[in-house]
Amino acid sequence: MRAMGSVRAGTAVVSLLLAGALLGACSDEPGSPAPSAPATTAAPAPLPAVPTATGEPMEGDLGSATGAPAPVWDEESRAAAVATATAVMTAYARPALDPDAWWGEFSGFLSPAAQQDYQWVQPASIAATTVGPGPAVLVDESSVYLARVEVPTDAGTYRVLLSRQDGPTSWLVERVEPPEGVA
C-alpha cells in the first residue's frame, strides 16, 4: 500500500513539473516566464438590503430598482394575495380544457420564470377540477416579497407561492404545489 502512495505522489510531482514546462513554452520568448494577469483590488459589491417580516427594509429602499416603493404587508396586499391564489387555482384546475385555451388563461398569472416551468404542463394531468369548498388562506407572509396561500380544491389543498417585485406591482405565481400524494 505504501508503495502505491509513493507512486501516486511521484506521478503528481511529474505532472506539476510537466505543466510548468508547458506554461513556459507558451510564452512569446523561449525561457521567459509566463505572463501573469494584472492584480485587481476592486472592492466587492455591497449586499442588497433584506426586508423584515413587517415590511420595513432593514436598510435602504428595495423598491428603488424599479423606482417604486418597497412592498408592505397590509390588509390590501393580504387580500390581493388570497384573491390572486384563488383566481390562479380557478384557471389551473380545469383538466378538461383545451391545452391552448388553458395556457392562455393560466399563463397570465405566472412570473416569467414560472411561465418557463409550466409551459409544457398538460391540463389533463391536473387532479383538481374545482376550487373549494372554503376560502383560500394566507399561511406564510414571512417576506414582504413572497406569500404562500393554501387553496382548497376537490383534490385536496394546493399551496400557491406568489411573489411581487415592489409595492405597487401585482402578485405573480411562482409555483403551484399539489397536495401531498397528488402528482
Side-chain angles (χ1 to χ4, degrees), residues 24-56:
C26 292
S27 65
D28 289 338
E29 297 177 27
S32 67
S36 61
T40 58
T41 57
L47 295 174
V50 177
T52 63
T54 62
E56 295 298 320

Side-chain angles (χ1 to χ4, degrees), residues 72-182:
V72 296
W73 278 115
D74 57 16
E75 289 310 310
E76 183 180 334
S77 64
R78 287 178 180 91
V82 169
T84 300
T86 302
V88 78
M89 282 306 301
T90 301
Y92 180 80
R94 297 184 300 160
L97 199 60
D98 169 74
D100 290 333
W102 176 83
W103 179 251
E105 294 177 30
F106 175 65
S107 65
F109 293 102
L110 305 176
S111 71
Q115 286 180 1
Q116 293 295 314
D117 292 342
Y118 286 92
Q119 68 182 329
W120 304 112
V121 169
Q122 293 299 312
S125 68
I126 298 169
T129 60
T130 60
V131 173
V137 177
L138 178 64
V139 295
D140 183 4
E141 57 182 70
S142 58
S143 167
V144 294
Y145 293 94
L146 298 172
R148 191 171 306 273
V149 180
E150 290 185 348
V151 183
T153 72
D154 60 339
T157 301
Y158 280 72
R159 295 183 81 167
V160 179
L161 177 63
L162 304 168
S163 69
R164 58 185 172 175
Q165 186 173 359
D166 52 40
T169 32
S170 300
W171 288 104
L172 293 175
V173 175
E174 296 295 337
R175 183 79 41 220
V176 175
E177 302 168 4
E180 194 170 314
V182 175

Side-chain angles (χ1 to χ4, degrees), residues 46-71:
L47 295 174
V50 177
T52 63
T54 62
E56 295 298 320
M58 289 171 48
E59 25 176 288
D61 180 15
L62 293 178
S64 63
T66 63

